[in-house]
Amino acid sequence: MSQATHTPPGAAPDYPQTLGHPRPLWMLFMSEFWERFAFYGMRWALTLYIVAQFFDGDNAGQASASRTYGAYLALVYATAVFGGYVADRVIGYQRAILLGAVVMAAGLFMVMVPNQQIFMLGLATIIVGNGLFKPNISSMVGQLYAPGDSRRDRGFTLFYMGINAGALIAPVLTSYLAGHVFGTPAHDNYHVVFAASGVGMLISLVWFWFGRRQLGRVGMPAPEVASPMRVVYVAIGVLVAIPLVYLLMDRAGAVMLQWLLTALFLGVGVVLVIEAIRTGRVQIQRAIAMLIIFTFNVLFWMFFEQAGSSFNFLAQHIVDRDLGGWDFPIGWFQSVNPIAIVALAPLVALTWGWLDKRRIEPSIPRKFGLGLIGNALGFAVLMYALSRLVGSDGLIPLWTLVLCYVLQTAGELCLSPIGLSMVTKLAPPRLVGLGMGGWFLSTAIGNNLAGLFAAGVSGETGMTVESALSGYSMGFWILLGGGVLLFLIAPLINRLMHGVK
């Protein structure tokens, strides 16, 4: 039994049901909606802001901006490892979420200041707060369902809709604010974008504060670790962690960060396996299966997470955004992915349920293989556009980037919500929070590699049609190969999972 989770791992409270799922799911859905509104409301602007504010708009700053963005996203997910452990062992899930929300809100307001050092310190503050918030709210979704409840995957898919509903609205609203509030160039208004995101995070905090009563004892600390002083100690740790994260981003660089993240990932894997050894052979093999799938997750996010970096510069310089005299805002491309998720997620959830009733639902590794292949198809569209559809003005049609996002989204729905559910099934029961942190750490490694990949696509002087075609062609073949390989080894992984579906 986890020290910080009062409800035994094998039990789930008898919650009232709403639309076929435990009622607290919908409270967590809305808390995550506003947190993701905050996160995605400013994400689209980061690389564009860095180039405009700190490089005076020079395209040579694209590579540096991409590396900073990749390191930021990587550390956002990497700190989930520590946040998961803090929730598991120190203060419980509910307290970790509340503290994380406070810290994230502070960081979002800090990045409003047009000073590079304060900007980077604000990003570091967001990173630390997100580490406490993100893995633990996802872990709590799994605790709403009893082991073996077939609704769990569907519950995570619905929860994923909450994530992406916030991500849908945020770029549309904040892009409008950036372009229209003061009637000045968008890069002069980015502080409004960051302020709107900070307000969204405060709403998430308030929503969870009042809604957590629905959870009962789930996520509350056990009596022996319930002292409020533990929260104070964690808060002090947060204040120490923020400057350390700042130094990692500002001084270590993306390559050094990659080595550190890889070492941390291996360390988490060892801890999970050691914990599994105490339980027995079945749990050991399940932990190994989970770590194998984590490796393919790295590959997926390395290429998927071009949205805020190289795809932004592609949209800015190589995509024809003219729609009858009106320029399609760059930030609005970021809403294509969540729009597609909100539209497709119910269909995917129904499809998995329909296949489950007929006992032909794909296994977890095969769903991941489909995710990699869907991601690859998105790059195939860009390969075609950059090689066949470049106009005399050097631009490709807008619909090609939109279709790329939609195909990648189809792949994402086969992988990301299933991964969250998988961790709650395969991780050692005492360390589900750390297991969820391991999942986000694998995503972190992929995100940092995404920044390095995007920097390579932009080169030293900025993105060109030729550099984009070369980079995205490589992405297609690597993703396709990974997806095919995962299909081939799926039977082996299924055996290691011992009946978990």
Side-chain angles (χ1 to χ4, degrees):
M1 172 178 171
S2 171
Q3 284 183 314
T5 305
H6 196 54
T7 301
D14 185 18
Y15 289 119
Q17 304 293 296
T18 300
L19 299 178
H21 290 272
R23 188 170 297 167
L25 173 67
W26 306 104
M27 182 277 293
L28 297 175
F29 177 105
M30 287 305 301
S31 298
E32 184 72 349
F33 169 93
W34 284 110
E35 186 272 334
R36 290 293 91 181
F37 176 94
F39 186 82
Y40 286 97
M42 52 87 78
R43 189 188 74 151
W44 71 268
L46 283 179
T47 52
L48 302 178
Y49 174 71
I50 291 170
V51 172
Q53 182 70 42
F54 305 128
F55 290 89
D56 296 321
D58 188 342
N59 288 341
Q62 290 180 9
S64 177
S66 292
R67 286 190 291 267
T68 298
Y69 173 78
Y72 162 71
L73 275 190
L75 288 166
V76 158
Y77 288 99
T79 51
V81 177
F82 302 102
Y85 187 84
V86 165
D88 274 330
R89 299 289 187 173
V90 185
I91 61 174
Y93 294 94
Q94 292 190 27
R95 289 176 171 180
I97 290 168
L98 289 169
L99 180 58
V102 171
V103 175
M104 281 185 72
L108 286 162
F109 288 114
M110 288 173 66
V111 296
M112 293 173 58
V113 180
N115 174 280
Q116 191 164 10
Q117 282 68 44
I118 297 176
F119 174 80
M120 295 293 284
L121 192 62
L123 291 182
T125 304
I126 297 168
I127 287 166
V128 175
N130 193 83
L132 287 167
F133 188 103
K134 182 66 177 169
N136 297 314
I137 198 165
S138 299
S139 294
M140 289 188 70
V141 173
Q143 295 176 38
L144 303 180
Y145 298 89
D149 190 332
S150 63
R151 299 175 301 163
R152 186 181 298 208
D153 277 3
R154 278 160 269 163
F156 270 101
T157 300
L158 291 170
F159 178 70
Y160 209 63
M161 283 181 63
I163 294 174
N164 288 281
L168 184 164
I169 295 170
V172 174
L173 178 60
T174 56
S175 291
Y176 178 81
L177 292 175
H180 296 88
V181 170
F182 298 114
T184 53
H187 67 266
D188 291 339
N189 299 332
Y190 283 133
H191 61 284
V192 180
V193 173
F194 303 142
S197 297
V199 170
M201 194 65 238
L202 290 177
I203 294 173
S204 176
L205 169 64
V206 172
W207 199 286
F208 187 81
W209 174 266
F210 288 105
R212 74 191 195 282
R213 296 183 182 90
Q214 299 178 25
L215 295 165
R217 295 299 304 171
V218 167
M220 290 290 288
E224 62 269 22
V225 294
S227 170
M229 285 305 299
R230 285 177 169 256
V231 180
V232 175
Y233 298 148
V234 172
I236 293 171
V238 165
L239 295 177
V240 172
I242 289 171
L244 294 178
V245 171
Y246 167 82
L247 290 174
L248 279 175
M249 280 203 306
D250 196 52
R251 304 295 170 84
V255 175
M256 178 61 70
L257 181 59
Q258 191 61 43
W259 286 105
L260 293 173
L261 290 173
T262 302
L264 183 59
F265 179 73
L266 293 174
V268 169
V270 169
V271 171
L272 290 170
V273 171
I274 289 173
E275 176 64 26
I277 289 171
R278 298 174 181 172
T279 307
R281 182 179 64 88
V282 170
Q283 188 60 65
I284 294 171
Q285 293 186 356
R286 284 177 174 173
I288 292 171
M290 183 174 68
L291 292 172
I292 292 172
I293 293 175
F294 281 179
T295 303
F296 284 94
N297 190 51
V298 170
L299 182 62
F300 180 87
W301 294 104
M302 173 180 176
F303 295 103
F304 181 91
E305 198 47 71
Q306 297 303 302
S309 52
S310 74
F311 283 3
N312 251 358
F313 297 125
L314 184 78
Q316 186 177 40
H317 298 293
I318 300 178
V319 172
D320 182 3
R321 296 183 289 112
D322 181 22
L323 297 177
W326 175 70
D327 275 350
F328 187 87
I330 297 170
W332 286 19
F333 283 105
Q334 303 292 308
S335 289
V336 175
N337 168 255
I339 287 171
I341 284 180
V342 171
L344 295 177
L347 297 177
V348 171
L350 289 171
T351 300
W352 295 150
W354 185 84
L355 294 173
D356 177 56
K357 290 179 180 178
R358 288 154 182 80
R359 299 186 178 182
I360 54 174
E361 183 178 4
S363 64
I364 289 173
R366 286 202 167 103
K367 287 177 181 177
F368 268 67
L370 290 171
L372 290 167
I373 292 170
N375 197 349
L377 292 175
F379 280 94
V381 172
L382 293 182
M383 286 171 58
Y384 178 75
L386 291 164
S387 59
R388 302 291 181 87
L389 301 180
V390 180
S392 58
D393 54 2
L395 303 177
I396 62 175
L398 181 147
W399 66 264
T400 59
L401 182 54
V402 171
L403 181 57
C404 171
Y405 274 118
V406 172
L407 291 170
Q408 286 188 317
T409 300
E412 181 186 3
L413 282 169
C414 293
L415 180 144
S416 193
I418 305 306
L420 295 173
S421 179
M422 173 199 70
V423 171
T424 66
K425 299 173 185 177
L426 295 180
R430 284 164 46 90
L431 292 180
V432 173
L434 183 62
M436 194 65 74
W439 164 260
F440 287 118
L441 180 57
S442 68
T443 304
I445 294 172
N447 286 336
N448 193 60
L449 289 171
L452 292 170
F453 174 75
V457 172
S458 288
E460 295 299 322
T461 58
M463 180 184 290
T464 64
V465 169
E466 291 74 19
S467 68
L469 176 59
S470 174
Y472 296 156
S473 297
M474 181 179 73
F476 167 76
W477 290 111
I478 292 175
L479 285 166
L480 183 64
V484 171
L485 175 61
L486 194 47
F487 262 86
L488 292 175
I489 65 173
L492 169 63
I493 299 174
N494 287 331
R495 286 197 294 273
L496 293 173
M497 289 166 64
H498 289 277
V500 168
K501 296 180 180 179

